[in-house]
Structure formats: structure tokens, C-alpha cells
Amino acid sequence: MSTSSSSAAERDFKREFSKIFFIVFVVFLICFSIFVVNHHENNKYIIETLEINGSVQEGDALFKVNCVGCHGITARGLVGPDLHSITQRLNDKEIIKQVTGGLTPPMPSFEIDPVNMSNLLKYLHSL
């Protein structure tokens, strides 16, 4: 009798383990798919942005509307850091990811079209 209850317990364990494994596998696939799609779209956005020759004046105007509250009117920093050497510390792709993703709190993420992002990059390079 103990052999059959042991077998039943093993079958129950295997069934539960299989369910959990399947759920974890499905969640992993979903997360991986989201990452791949997001990564592809992010790369497309970055490539498009870098192909545009932005305007310093337009970037300055954009900066003054969106960034001065944290980085100051002269981009020397307030709550956010001084941006005058940002293009030596980060490459353009990293800057784009920082602006669009808000990677360092309390910086928010910004939805910014490629033309305006290119303008902002041009402005940051002019500092």
C-alpha cells in the first residue's frame, strides 16, 4: 500500500512540477518576445535619429522647454547633472536611451520624435 501511495505522490509531484515549469517557460517566452520586439524598434528609432542632421537652435529651444527645470538654463546642472561634457562621457546611442528611457531617476522618460531627438543631440554636442 505504501508503494502505491508513494507512486501517486510522485505522479502528483511530477504533474505539479510540469505545470510550474510550463508556466515559467511561457512567461520567459513572453518576456523574451517583448524584449526582442522592443529592442528592434528601439534600434530602428536610434538609427533613424542618427541619420538626421539636427539643428542646434531647435535643440536649444527644446532643451529650454523640457530640460531647464533639472539641468538649469545653462545646462550646468541643478537636480540633474551638468551636461557640458555629456557627449564625452556618453555616446549618442547612450544619450538617446537616457532621454527616451529616463534611466537614472528622477529623470523621466520622454517620448520624442527622431527629428527633435536629433536636434537635442546637436545642442548637447554644442555645449
Side-chain angles (χ1 to χ4, degrees):
M1 184 92 180
S2 67
T3 307
S4 67
S5 66
S6 174
S7 271
E10 285 179 20
R11 281 193 307 269
D12 289 344
F13 175 76
K14 287 179 182 178
R15 189 174 302 132
E16 287 300 313
F17 180 79
S18 296
K19 285 181 188 176
I20 291 170
F21 180 79
F22 179 74
I23 291 169
V24 169
F25 183 72
V26 168
V27 168
F28 172 77
L29 283 179
I30 291 169
C31 291
F32 182 74
S33 298
I34 290 170
F35 172 77
V36 168
V37 168
N38 188 32
H39 184 70
H40 174 71
E41 288 190 12
N42 194 16
N43 279 342
K44 183 179 172 187
Y45 172 82
I46 290 171
I47 291 167
E48 186 178 346
T49 299
L50 295 176
E51 288 176 347
I52 300 168
N53 188 17
S55 158
V56 173
Q57 293 78 18
E58 293 291 323
D60 178 51
L62 186 66
F63 182 86
K64 287 179 179 163
V65 169
N66 294 287
C67 309
V68 296
C70 293
H71 296 285
I73 193 74
T74 61
R76 289 284 180 195
L78 292 171
V79 175
D82 182 337
L83 297 177
H84 280 258
S85 62
I86 195 70
T87 57
Q88 282 101 36
R89 289 181 284 148
L90 300 176
N91 65 42
D92 287 350
K93 289 180 183 179
E94 292 170 324
I95 293 170
I96 292 168
K97 289 177 182 178
Q98 175 65 39
V99 171
T100 60
L103 303 178
T104 52
M107 183 169 173
S109 59
F110 289 92
E111 287 189 27
I112 181 171
D113 64 86
V115 172
N116 281 321
M117 187 68 233
S118 179
N119 293 338
L120 185 59
L121 279 172
K122 192 74 152 190
Y123 171 72
L124 292 173
H125 278 280
S126 76
L127 296 176

